Amino acid sequence: MSIFEQAALIFNHPLFNIVGGISVSITFIAITYKVVCFFWGVTPLMLRLGISLWKRKVAIFGDESSFSSLKLMLIDSGIFKEKNIIKIDLIDLAKAKKLDIFLVDWNSSKDHINQIFDFRPNNQTPVIIFASPGKIPEENLSDIANRSNTVIVNFRGRLINDLLTSLVTTSYDKS
């Protein structure tokens, strides 16, 4: 009998079979638990984002040039569908009552900001204000900061990120 065969006989001892079986069982249970936890954690988030991108409408408040610019940026991102981006004229704010997320160009809509907040269907409707740095006066800034689900954005790249975050964090409860 060679030395390798003698070493193999040691591992055929019933103690090694029991310890090996227990170790394999614990590893299998741990991996299964991790996979289930991953899907329970990620699936609702992905489902919520998918439904939001598919169904929710983005209302853009502003003049024609700001609407065109913001709409083009959203479409160029490849994330938002053109049919889900709607222009809201500042003289017809009531049109926004049924929409899901508000994107406000501060430069062209600053005089209507309180009306825009009044036309939110509920406090779950996010309002994202796109403004150049330092353009929002201090009194407006504190008022906006005290409202729920509001974001002030200075950069276009950040705007896409904040739109996606708002879509995930606010509920879509159309019934």
Side-chain angles (χ1 to χ4, degrees):
M1 185 178 286
S2 74
I3 191 160
F4 293 112
E5 291 173 342
Q6 290 176 351
L9 286 177
I10 293 172
F11 291 108
N12 283 336
H13 191 272
L15 177 67
F16 284 108
N17 288 336
I18 293 171
V19 171
I22 291 173
S23 298
V24 168
S25 298
I26 290 173
T27 304
F28 177 75
I29 291 170
I31 289 173
T32 303
Y33 176 74
K34 289 289 185 181
V35 168
V36 168
C37 287
F38 175 77
F39 283 109
W40 279 353
V42 170
T43 302
L45 186 68
M46 290 291 128
L47 189 64
R48 192 175 211 175
L49 180 61
I51 289 172
S52 292
L53 288 174
W54 181 38
K55 288 187 171 182
R56 293 179 85 179
K57 308 261 187 230
V58 177
I60 298 178
F61 297 83
D63 59 11
E64 192 61 39
S65 66
S66 63
F67 170 73
S68 299
S69 172
L70 291 171
K71 179 181 178 182
L72 186 62
M73 180 196 62
L74 294 178
I75 293 171
D76 284 348
S77 72
I79 297 172
F80 296 94
K81 296 178 184 174
E82 185 174 356
K83 70 174 188 164
N84 289 342
I85 302 169
I86 298 170
K87 180 181 184 336
I88 303 297
D89 290 322
L90 296 174
I91 56 172
D92 190 19
L93 294 175
K95 186 177 167 186
K97 269 206 173 273
K98 295 180 180 176
L99 300 177
D100 305 306
I101 185 165
F102 291 2
L103 174 58
V104 180
D105 175 58
W106 178 260
N107 289 336
S108 58
S109 305
K110 60 186 167 197
D111 296 332
H112 303 278
I113 193 68
N114 287 327
Q115 294 169 311
I116 291 171
F117 277 112
D118 290 342
F119 279 106
R120 281 199 310 181
N122 55 43
N123 285 338
Q124 281 289 311
T125 303
V127 177
I128 300 172
I129 299 171
F130 180 68
S132 301
K135 292 291 184 184
I136 300 176
E138 190 66 35
E139 63 269 7
N140 291 96
L141 203 57
S142 61
D143 180 48
I144 292 169
N146 289 326
R147 297 178 188 251
S148 62
N149 292 318
T150 57
V151 177
I152 297 173
V153 181
N154 296 329
F155 301 106
R156 289 180 179 265
R158 179 71 190 200
L159 178 63
I160 297 290
N161 181 44
D162 287 339
L163 272 169
L164 286 174
T165 304
S166 296
L167 287 173
V168 172
T169 57
T170 57
S171 66
Y172 179 76
D173 51 350
K174 294 277 184 182
S175 51

